[in-house]
mmCIF file of all heavy atoms in Angstrom:
data_model
loop_
_atom_site.group_PDB
_atom_site.id
_atom_site.type_symbol
_atom_site.label_atom_id
_atom_site.label_comp_id
_atom_site.label_asym_id
_atom_site.label_seq_id
_atom_site.Cartn_x
_atom_site.Cartn_y
_atom_site.Cartn_z
ATOM 1 N N LEU A 191 14.724 -8.900 -0.322
ATOM 2 C CA LEU A 191 15.472 -8.594 0.907
ATOM 3 C C LEU A 191 16.622 -9.592 1.055
ATOM 4 O O LEU A 191 17.736 -9.233 1.446
ATOM 5 C CB LEU A 191 14.563 -8.639 2.133
ATOM 6 C CG LEU A 191 13.596 -7.455 2.297
ATOM 7 C CD1 LEU A 191 12.654 -7.691 3.478
ATOM 8 C CD2 LEU A 191 14.345 -6.136 2.475
ATOM 9 N N MET A 192 16.357 -10.875 0.707
ATOM 10 C CA MET A 192 17.394 -11.893 0.802
ATOM 11 C C MET A 192 18.560 -11.549 -0.115
ATOM 12 O O MET A 192 19.725 -11.718 0.259
ATOM 13 C CB MET A 192 16.802 -13.263 0.445
ATOM 14 C CG MET A 192 17.707 -14.442 0.786
ATOM 15 S SD MET A 192 18.173 -14.499 2.560
ATOM 16 C CE MET A 192 16.739 -15.352 3.236
ATOM 17 N N GLN A 193 18.239 -11.050 -1.302
ATOM 18 C CA GLN A 193 19.292 -10.626 -2.237
ATOM 19 C C GLN A 193 20.170 -9.544 -1.638
ATOM 20 O O GLN A 193 21.379 -9.523 -1.838
ATOM 21 C CB GLN A 193 18.659 -10.075 -3.498
ATOM 22 C CG GLN A 193 18.764 -11.007 -4.653
ATOM 23 C CD GLN A 193 18.455 -10.304 -5.962
ATOM 24 O OE1 GLN A 193 18.138 -9.123 -5.991
ATOM 25 N NE2 GLN A 193 18.536 -11.047 -7.042
ATOM 26 N N ARG A 194 19.525 -8.666 -0.881
ATOM 27 C CA ARG A 194 20.280 -7.587 -0.259
ATOM 28 C C ARG A 194 21.270 -8.131 0.779
ATOM 29 O O ARG A 194 22.228 -7.470 1.118
ATOM 30 C CB ARG A 194 19.340 -6.575 0.386
ATOM 31 C CG ARG A 194 18.531 -5.807 -0.640
ATOM 32 C CD ARG A 194 17.641 -4.756 -0.031
ATOM 33 N NE ARG A 194 16.915 -4.066 -1.110
ATOM 34 C CZ ARG A 194 16.057 -3.076 -0.950
ATOM 35 N NH1 ARG A 194 15.807 -2.632 0.281
ATOM 36 N NH2 ARG A 194 15.458 -2.525 -1.979
ATOM 37 N N LEU A 195 20.945 -9.334 1.264
ATOM 38 C CA LEU A 195 21.839 -9.951 2.266
ATOM 39 C C LEU A 195 22.875 -10.852 1.614
ATOM 40 O O LEU A 195 23.818 -11.300 2.244
ATOM 41 C CB LEU A 195 20.998 -10.767 3.258
ATOM 42 C CG LEU A 195 20.122 -9.942 4.186
ATOM 43 C CD1 LEU A 195 19.159 -10.838 4.954
ATOM 44 C CD2 LEU A 195 20.989 -9.138 5.145
ATOM 45 N N GLU A 196 22.663 -11.152 0.346
ATOM 46 C CA GLU A 196 23.570 -12.099 -0.333
ATOM 47 C C GLU A 196 24.549 -11.434 -1.261
ATOM 48 O O GLU A 196 25.491 -12.060 -1.723
ATOM 49 C CB GLU A 196 22.722 -13.132 -1.112
ATOM 50 C CG GLU A 196 22.149 -14.202 -0.204
ATOM 51 C CD GLU A 196 21.079 -15.045 -0.879
ATOM 52 O OE1 GLU A 196 20.597 -14.666 -1.976
ATOM 53 O OE2 GLU A 196 20.715 -16.075 -0.300
ATOM 54 N N ARG A 197 24.303 -10.154 -1.576
ATOM 55 C CA ARG A 197 25.160 -9.477 -2.549
ATOM 56 C C ARG A 197 25.823 -8.253 -1.955
ATOM 57 O O ARG A 197 25.139 -7.343 -1.453
ATOM 58 C CB ARG A 197 24.342 -9.076 -3.778
ATOM 59 C CG ARG A 197 24.025 -10.292 -4.642
ATOM 60 C CD ARG A 197 23.130 -9.951 -5.784
ATOM 61 N NE ARG A 197 23.552 -8.727 -6.506
ATOM 62 C CZ ARG A 197 22.921 -8.290 -7.594
ATOM 63 N NH1 ARG A 197 21.882 -8.938 -8.069
ATOM 64 N NH2 ARG A 197 23.343 -7.196 -8.190
ATOM 65 N N ALA A 198 27.143 -8.252 -2.056
ATOM 66 C CA ALA A 198 27.892 -7.152 -1.474
ATOM 67 C C ALA A 198 27.457 -5.799 -2.032
ATOM 68 O O ALA A 198 27.495 -4.788 -1.337
ATOM 69 C CB ALA A 198 29.392 -7.365 -1.732
ATOM 70 N N ASP A 199 27.012 -5.795 -3.298
ATOM 71 C CA ASP A 199 26.587 -4.526 -3.886
ATOM 72 C C ASP A 199 25.181 -4.111 -3.433
ATOM 73 O O ASP A 199 24.669 -3.074 -3.857
ATOM 74 C CB ASP A 199 26.660 -4.579 -5.421
ATOM 75 C CG ASP A 199 25.717 -5.633 -5.999
ATOM 76 O OD1 ASP A 199 25.442 -6.653 -5.336
ATOM 77 O OD2 ASP A 199 25.249 -5.427 -7.138
ATOM 78 N N LYS A 200 24.556 -4.926 -2.587
ATOM 79 C CA LYS A 200 23.197 -4.593 -2.131
ATOM 80 C C LYS A 200 23.111 -4.376 -0.620
ATOM 81 O O LYS A 200 22.065 -3.963 -0.113
ATOM 82 C CB LYS A 200 22.210 -5.717 -2.525
ATOM 83 C CG LYS A 200 22.148 -5.994 -4.012
ATOM 84 C CD LYS A 200 20.797 -5.665 -4.581
ATOM 85 C CE LYS A 200 20.733 -6.015 -6.051
ATOM 86 N NZ LYS A 200 19.655 -5.312 -6.740
ATOM 87 N N TYR A 201 24.176 -4.688 0.099
ATOM 88 C CA TYR A 201 24.119 -4.525 1.565
ATOM 89 C C TYR A 201 23.659 -3.136 1.958
ATOM 90 O O TYR A 201 22.911 -2.952 2.912
ATOM 91 C CB TYR A 201 25.500 -4.770 2.225
ATOM 92 C CG TYR A 201 26.067 -6.150 2.074
ATOM 93 C CD1 TYR A 201 27.445 -6.359 2.219
ATOM 94 C CD2 TYR A 201 25.266 -7.250 1.805
ATOM 95 C CE1 TYR A 201 27.998 -7.617 2.094
ATOM 96 C CE2 TYR A 201 25.822 -8.526 1.679
ATOM 97 C CZ TYR A 201 27.185 -8.697 1.809
ATOM 98 O OH TYR A 201 27.740 -9.919 1.671
ATOM 99 N N TRP A 202 24.129 -2.147 1.212
ATOM 100 C CA TRP A 202 23.837 -0.758 1.574
ATOM 101 C C TRP A 202 22.345 -0.460 1.567
ATOM 102 O O TRP A 202 21.890 0.472 2.234
ATOM 103 C CB TRP A 202 24.588 0.213 0.649
ATOM 104 C CG TRP A 202 24.103 0.184 -0.778
ATOM 105 C CD1 TRP A 202 24.494 -0.690 -1.758
ATOM 106 C CD2 TRP A 202 23.152 1.046 -1.386
ATOM 107 N NE1 TRP A 202 23.842 -0.422 -2.934
ATOM 108 C CE2 TRP A 202 23.006 0.641 -2.738
ATOM 109 C CE3 TRP A 202 22.383 2.123 -0.928
ATOM 110 C CZ2 TRP A 202 22.137 1.273 -3.626
ATOM 111 C CZ3 TRP A 202 21.507 2.749 -1.821
ATOM 112 C CH2 TRP A 202 21.404 2.329 -3.146
ATOM 113 N N LYS A 203 21.576 -1.276 0.839
ATOM 114 C CA LYS A 203 20.125 -1.029 0.782
ATOM 115 C C LYS A 203 19.404 -1.710 1.926
ATOM 116 O O LYS A 203 18.231 -1.465 2.154
ATOM 117 C CB LYS A 203 19.551 -1.605 -0.531
ATOM 118 C CG LYS A 203 19.909 -0.847 -1.772
ATOM 119 C CD LYS A 203 19.023 -1.375 -2.910
ATOM 120 C CE LYS A 203 19.581 -1.000 -4.256
ATOM 121 N NZ LYS A 203 18.740 -1.533 -5.332
ATOM 122 N N PHE A 204 20.097 -2.619 2.608
ATOM 123 C CA PHE A 204 19.422 -3.410 3.631
ATOM 124 C C PHE A 204 19.318 -2.650 4.942
ATOM 125 O O PHE A 204 20.250 -2.030 5.404
ATOM 126 C CB PHE A 204 20.144 -4.739 3.875
ATOM 127 C CG PHE A 204 19.390 -5.617 4.836
ATOM 128 C CD1 PHE A 204 18.289 -6.354 4.399
ATOM 129 C CD2 PHE A 204 19.738 -5.677 6.180
ATOM 130 C CE1 PHE A 204 17.577 -7.143 5.293
ATOM 131 C CE2 PHE A 204 19.027 -6.464 7.075
ATOM 132 C CZ PHE A 204 17.941 -7.201 6.634
ATOM 133 N N ASN A 205 18.118 -2.738 5.503
ATOM 134 C CA ASN A 205 17.886 -2.126 6.812
ATOM 135 C C ASN A 205 17.211 -3.196 7.665
ATOM 136 O O ASN A 205 16.130 -3.686 7.309
ATOM 137 C CB ASN A 205 16.971 -0.903 6.610
ATOM 138 C CG ASN A 205 16.586 -0.271 7.937
ATOM 139 O OD1 ASN A 205 16.918 -0.764 9.008
ATOM 140 N ND2 ASN A 205 15.844 0.818 7.839
ATOM 141 N N PRO A 206 17.855 -3.621 8.760
ATOM 142 C CA PRO A 206 17.269 -4.688 9.595
ATOM 143 C C PRO A 206 15.806 -4.439 9.957
ATOM 144 O O PRO A 206 15.012 -5.373 10.089
ATOM 145 C CB PRO A 206 18.148 -4.687 10.839
ATOM 146 C CG PRO A 206 19.471 -4.174 10.362
ATOM 147 C CD PRO A 206 19.155 -3.148 9.293
ATOM 148 N N ALA A 207 15.429 -3.171 10.072
ATOM 149 C CA ALA A 207 14.049 -2.832 10.425
ATOM 150 C C ALA A 207 13.058 -3.244 9.340
ATOM 151 O O ALA A 207 11.851 -3.430 9.622
ATOM 152 C CB ALA A 207 13.920 -1.325 10.697
ATOM 153 N N ASP A 208 13.553 -3.406 8.097
ATOM 154 C CA ASP A 208 12.653 -3.829 7.009
ATOM 155 C C ASP A 208 12.023 -5.187 7.318
ATOM 156 O O ASP A 208 10.914 -5.480 6.894
ATOM 157 C CB ASP A 208 13.410 -3.909 5.667
ATOM 158 C CG ASP A 208 13.901 -2.524 5.211
ATOM 159 O OD1 ASP A 208 13.457 -1.508 5.783
ATOM 160 O OD2 ASP A 208 14.746 -2.481 4.290
ATOM 161 N N ILE A 209 12.774 -6.030 8.035
ATOM 162 C CA ILE A 209 12.238 -7.365 8.386
ATOM 163 C C ILE A 209 11.095 -7.217 9.384
ATOM 164 O O ILE A 209 10.050 -7.857 9.248
ATOM 165 C CB ILE A 209 13.352 -8.274 8.935
ATOM 166 C CG1 ILE A 209 14.430 -8.476 7.860
ATOM 167 C CG2 ILE A 209 12.783 -9.640 9.380
ATOM 168 C CD1 ILE A 209 15.628 -9.335 8.302
ATOM 169 N N ASP A 210 11.272 -6.330 10.346
ATOM 170 C CA ASP A 210 10.211 -6.086 11.340
ATOM 171 C C ASP A 210 8.944 -5.544 10.679
ATOM 172 O O ASP A 210 7.831 -5.873 11.080
ATOM 173 C CB ASP A 210 10.696 -5.116 12.416
ATOM 174 C CG ASP A 210 11.978 -5.596 13.081
ATOM 175 O OD1 ASP A 210 12.021 -6.796 13.435
ATOM 176 O OD2 ASP A 210 12.923 -4.795 13.211
ATOM 177 N N GLU A 211 9.148 -4.705 9.659
ATOM 178 C CA GLU A 211 7.998 -4.103 8.982
ATOM 179 C C GLU A 211 7.110 -5.147 8.330
ATOM 180 O O GLU A 211 5.914 -4.933 8.139
ATOM 181 C CB GLU A 211 8.452 -3.091 7.915
ATOM 182 C CG GLU A 211 8.928 -1.763 8.463
ATOM 183 C CD GLU A 211 7.860 -1.051 9.273
ATOM 184 O OE1 GLU A 211 7.034 -0.348 8.705
ATOM 185 O OE2 GLU A 211 7.874 -1.225 10.516
ATOM 186 N N ARG A 212 7.691 -6.301 7.983
ATOM 187 C CA ARG A 212 6.906 -7.344 7.311
ATOM 188 C C ARG A 212 5.737 -7.816 8.175
ATOM 189 O O ARG A 212 4.700 -8.231 7.661
ATOM 190 C CB ARG A 212 7.790 -8.523 6.904
ATOM 191 C CG ARG A 212 8.697 -8.186 5.731
ATOM 192 C CD ARG A 212 9.741 -9.268 5.470
ATOM 193 N NE ARG A 212 9.203 -10.594 5.145
ATOM 194 C CZ ARG A 212 8.694 -10.943 3.985
ATOM 195 N NH1 ARG A 212 8.619 -10.088 2.991
ATOM 196 N NH2 ARG A 212 8.251 -12.176 3.794
ATOM 197 N N ALA A 213 5.900 -7.715 9.499
ATOM 198 C CA ALA A 213 4.818 -8.120 10.404
ATOM 199 C C ALA A 213 3.609 -7.183 10.288
ATOM 200 O O ALA A 213 2.503 -7.539 10.673
ATOM 201 C CB ALA A 213 5.332 -8.128 11.847
ATOM 202 N N TYR A 214 3.867 -5.988 9.752
ATOM 203 C CA TYR A 214 2.786 -4.992 9.632
ATOM 204 C C TYR A 214 2.123 -4.997 8.260
ATOM 205 O O TYR A 214 1.401 -4.085 7.905
ATOM 206 C CB TYR A 214 3.328 -3.591 9.939
ATOM 207 C CG TYR A 214 3.776 -3.423 11.365
ATOM 208 C CD1 TYR A 214 5.098 -3.688 11.729
ATOM 209 C CD2 TYR A 214 2.884 -3.015 12.359
ATOM 210 C CE1 TYR A 214 5.513 -3.538 13.039
ATOM 211 C CE2 TYR A 214 3.294 -2.864 13.665
ATOM 212 C CZ TYR A 214 4.619 -3.124 14.005
ATOM 213 O OH TYR A 214 5.021 -2.977 15.297
ATOM 214 N N TRP A 215 2.458 -5.995 7.457
ATOM 215 C CA TRP A 215 1.966 -6.042 6.068
ATOM 216 C C TRP A 215 0.461 -5.802 5.970
ATOM 217 O O TRP A 215 0.017 -4.929 5.197
ATOM 218 C CB TRP A 215 2.357 -7.375 5.434
ATOM 219 C CG TRP A 215 2.283 -7.437 3.944
ATOM 220 C CD1 TRP A 215 1.222 -7.886 3.193
ATOM 221 C CD2 TRP A 215 3.311 -7.053 3.008
ATOM 222 N NE1 TRP A 215 1.520 -7.810 1.847
ATOM 223 C CE2 TRP A 215 2.793 -7.292 1.712
ATOM 224 C CE3 TRP A 215 4.587 -6.525 3.121
ATOM 225 C CZ2 TRP A 215 3.530 -7.050 0.550
ATOM 226 C CZ3 TRP A 215 5.324 -6.277 1.959
ATOM 227 C CH2 TRP A 215 4.786 -6.523 0.711
#
Side-chain angles (χ1 to χ4, degrees):
L191 286 174
M192 192 57 84
Q193 254 195 359
R194 291 182 180 181
L195 291 170
E196 282 167 347
R197 285 175 47 176
D199 62 330
K200 302 245 183 200
Y201 297 158
W202 67 276
K203 288 192 197 179
F204 185 79
N205 175 356
D208 295 347
I209 298 178
D210 305 313
E211 284 301 275
R212 287 170 61 77
Y214 294 91
W215 197 266

